[in-house]
Amino acid sequence: MKFISTRGGAKVSGAQAIVEGLSENGGLYVPEKFPTISRDKLEDMLELSYAERAARILSEYLDEYDKDGLLAACEEAYSKFEGGDPAPLVRLDDGVYMLELWHGPTLAFKDMALTVLPYLLKKGCEICGIKENILILTATSGDTGKAALEGFKDADGVKIMVFYPSDGVSKMQKLQMCTQDGSNVNVVAVRGNFDDCQTAVKEIFADEAFAAQLKEKGYILSSANSINFGRLAPQIAYYFSAYLDLISSEQIEMGEEIDFTVPTGNFGNILAAYYAKRMGLPIRRLHCASNSNNVLTDFFNTGKYDINREFIKTTSPSMDILISSNLERLIFEVSGRDAKLTASRMADLKSNGSYSLTATELEEIQKTFDGGFADEEGSVEAMYDVFIDVGYTMDTHTGCAMKVAVDWFEKHKKDETKMVIVSTANPYKFPQDVLYAVTGNDVKDSFKGIKRLHAATAMAVPKCLKELRDKPLRFTKTCDGKKLFEEVLNFVNE
């Protein structure tokens, strides 16, 4: 299968798309066409393990990759997850389920893809005949950074550098990144918010002179963000797996449509669900859940994407994003795959901070998507209610999704379509905020928060978080976004 850029240009292979991460013109790579998963193929996957299901989905897009190699990579990646099932489905109530995606090494849904991406990137370089070392640059709003660092630490021929907003992640997220081991890793805080980090990284990718300078030093750039199709593709698999688990547990019948509610900031997680739908998975609606930075909610209601608004720091920091990069892929699809129009809209976003869809395009999007959001009070209330009603503890991002799902059911009381809520992080990554939501108690120290949250919920405390208290800080540097070029060169020269 070939891949094309949302902003036009030449077709490339899947391996090229993954190695490059971002096209030369700044566009995002998308498949030339969507593969189809027929009912027969779905039935064939019913008895497969999660790793086998994931390999099947990846092989539909990456046909130049060896199927046995993909399977071996998925089996190795998901063997690192606790509990035997990397993406368990938990029943909360009649017709409502939680898809837990945080049982991996760094306790966040990003592990679902970033444990597989190192293989996809390494193999992609082999397929493309690339001899240079790979320099991975990643902007993170909290979870991608640690998952990418863990996935690529000590990988041969790879260096990875992560940038995060200096005051825009939780203490646990910061500790996870800044204590990271590995000889090939680097972490730098950036003054500003995630959008500032992401914009600065994209500028590096777009600078041809800088790329040439890096190549002279024996490096080419790639990305571990969801702008890279290699990050997005493994995420498609867990939507298929959740559907198959519902069938296996006799919650639905084959062919029955379901809904997903997905908390998202950069739009990658929910875009993967949309791709699953385009492949034939029986998804009726996708409910896009935001926090108080509700630019996506307004977009799905009005058709106008407008970032000219206040940026709000919340207790769900991984969703504190105004520029949702992966939305470009959806805009490309609803425009009739008009690369020129998509490029024009992205230029408008960069220069004016906004762009608008046509009425026809908005109508098309609203056939599948709707948007909702939870402010801080709404998220806390949703987390508390579920904890009291069924004893289930969720993190703050999942709390936003729960609030949006509850709002949907309150407006559509006769809706009997099964709803799967995507849970994106272990509650202990945000111990103080989760503790406050379920008990009303407020503590300043994160580790004290973990202890008290354990006492209140009896959830097992992940060993990797308990160990953070005694791990030395390796990375303490903070810089301005304009200094990222300099920091990258310093890292390459080490």
Side-chain angles (χ1 to χ4, degrees):
M1 178 179 290
K2 295 295 184 181
F3 286 74
I4 56 177
S5 167
T6 52
R7 304 184 193 181
K11 296 177 183 179
V12 301
S13 68
Q16 285 177 279
I18 290 171
V19 172
E20 293 177 19
L22 198 67
S23 72
E24 290 184 356
N25 57 23
L28 278 61
Y29 283 118
V30 298
E32 186 178 25
K33 61 181 180 179
F34 288 100
T36 299
I37 301 295
S38 65
R39 182 171 179 144
D40 288 343
K41 285 184 178 181
L42 266 181
E43 290 178 344
D44 287 343
M45 288 194 286
L46 273 172
E47 302 302 321
L48 300 184
S49 68
Y50 184 85
E52 290 170 329
R53 291 171 178 175
R56 289 277 183 96
I57 297 301
L58 287 173
S59 67
E60 293 286 339
Y61 287 100
L62 306 176
D63 50 15
E64 73 268 48
Y65 284 71
D66 178 71
K67 289 184 178 181
D68 290 337
L70 286 173
L71 176 57
C74 288
E75 288 179 335
E76 180 182 355
Y78 297 122
S79 69
K80 301 173 184 177
F81 286 58
E82 292 186 355
D85 185 354
L89 199 63
V90 177
R91 181 179 177 275
L92 293 186
D93 202 351
D94 290 339
V96 181
Y97 309 85
M98 194 69 74
L99 177 60
E100 294 182 347
L101 301 178
W102 39 262
H103 294 277
T106 75
L107 312 176
F109 81 98
K110 306 300 176 70
D111 290 325
M112 301 299 297
L114 283 165
T115 50
V116 181
L117 182 59
Y119 168 80
L120 297 179
L121 186 59
K122 181 180 180 180
K123 190 64 177 179
C125 287
E126 292 179 9
I127 293 171
C128 296
I130 292 172
K131 304 299 183 182
E132 290 89 352
N133 294 319
I134 301 292
L135 174 61
I136 296 173
L137 300 184
T138 298
T140 184
S141 56
D143 288 332
T144 293
K146 172 60 180 178
L149 290 164
E150 190 67 23
F152 284 98
K153 70 176 182 182
D154 294 325
D156 292 336
V158 174
K159 280 194 171 187
I160 177 167
M161 193 168 191
V162 168
F163 301 98
Y164 71 93
S166 56
D167 296 315
V169 299
S170 76
K171 180 178 180 180
M172 285 299 167
Q173 289 174 314
K174 183 175 180 178
L175 283 174
Q176 281 187 299
M177 290 185 285
C178 294
T179 60
Q180 176 68 44
D181 52 0
S183 60
N184 62 335
V185 304
N186 194 11
V187 180
V188 176
V190 178
R191 296 184 185 93
N193 56 43
F194 170 75
D195 293 329
D196 298 320
C197 296
Q198 184 168 245
T199 298
V201 168
K202 284 185 174 181
E203 287 176 353
I204 292 175
F205 273 88
D207 193 314
E208 294 182 5
F210 190 71
Q213 192 174 356
L214 287 176
K215 196 160 188 178
E216 288 180 3
K217 298 178 181 295
Y219 284 88
I220 62 171
L221 286 173
S222 190
S223 173
N225 284 103
S226 54
I227 57 175
N228 189 326
F229 188 79
R231 249 290 305 279
L232 186 65
Q235 294 180 247
I236 301 170
Y238 51 72
Y239 291 101
F240 277 92
S241 189
Y243 187 86
L244 293 167
D245 285 348
L246 286 173
I247 295 173
S248 297
S249 58
E250 299 183 347
Q251 302 297 300
I252 62 172
E253 296 180 357
M254 180 65 77
E256 182 178 342
E257 290 189 323
I258 65 172
D259 285 7
F260 285 95
T261 299
V262 188
T264 190
N266 216 19
F267 206 71
N269 201 1
I270 197 167
L271 182 77
Y274 172 73
Y275 275 25
K277 179 178 172 68
R278 291 294 301 268
M279 294 171 71
L281 191 66
I283 295 174
R284 184 191 63 161
R285 297 199 63 78
L286 296 171
H287 309 283
C288 180
S290 302
N291 61 16
S292 295
N293 295 289
N294 59 345
V295 61
L296 286 168
T297 306
D298 291 343
F299 171 73
F300 286 120
N301 289 331
T302 68
K304 183 177 182 180
Y305 194 82
D306 190 350
I307 64 170
N308 297 303
R309 62 182 67 208
E310 178 187 4
F311 178 86
I312 302 172
K313 292 182 180 181
T314 74
T315 56
S316 46
S318 297
M319 296 160 64
D320 288 349
I321 297 172
L322 293 180
I323 303 175
S324 303
S325 288
N326 274 288
L327 189 62
E328 179 173 342
R329 286 183 164 116
L330 178 63
I331 298 308
F332 177 71
E333 296 299 334
V334 299
S335 71
R337 299 199 142 199
D338 188 329
K340 185 176 180 180
L341 177 58
T342 302
S344 175
R345 283 171 167 162
M346 294 306 108
D348 287 342
L349 181 64
K350 185 175 182 178
S351 60
N352 304 320
S354 68
Y355 63 84
S356 295
L357 302 183
T358 66
T360 301
E361 290 170 330
L362 178 60
E363 182 181 0
E364 181 63 26
I365 278 184
Q366 289 176 338
K367 290 177 181 178
T368 298
F369 288 90
D370 54 77
F373 77 99
D375 58 18
E376 297 292 82
E377 183 180 351
S379 176
V380 166
E381 183 178 350
M383 295 164 69
Y384 175 79
D385 286 347
V386 173
F387 179 71
I388 294 300
D389 290 346
V390 298
Y392 187 87
T393 310
M394 66 189 74
D395 83 292
T396 49
H397 305 76
T398 310
C400 292
M402 178 57 69
K403 173 63 165 62
V404 170
V406 169
D407 288 347
W408 173 267
F409 284 125
E410 287 182 350
K411 293 177 182 177
H412 305 84
K413 296 185 184 297
K414 295 183 180 181
D415 188 358
E416 297 183 354
T417 302
K418 302 295 192 300
M419 172 81 77
V420 177
I421 298 167
V422 177
S423 181
T424 55
N426 188 301
Y428 282 112
K429 293 195 75 166
F430 311 92
Q432 295 143 288
D433 297 314
V434 176
L435 177 68
Y436 176 76
V438 300
T439 70
N441 294 325
D442 198 359
V443 296
K444 293 183 179 180
D445 181 73
S446 295
F447 293 99
K448 185 177 290 185
I450 286 178
K451 184 176 181 179
R452 293 190 180 180
L453 185 59
H454 173 67
T457 66
M459 281 186 69
V461 180
K463 181 182 178 182
C464 61
L465 291 187
K466 288 191 288 186
E467 293 174 343
L468 285 179
R469 181 193 286 272
D470 299 319
K471 292 189 72 172
L473 286 175
R474 291 187 64 196
F475 306 104
T476 58
K477 181 171 287 187
T478 301
C479 73
D480 294 323
K482 294 180 180 179
K483 293 291 185 73
L484 262 60
F485 284 85
E486 180 181 333
E487 292 296 333
V488 171
L489 283 178
N490 290 340
F491 181 47
V492 168
N493 290 329
E494 287 180 356

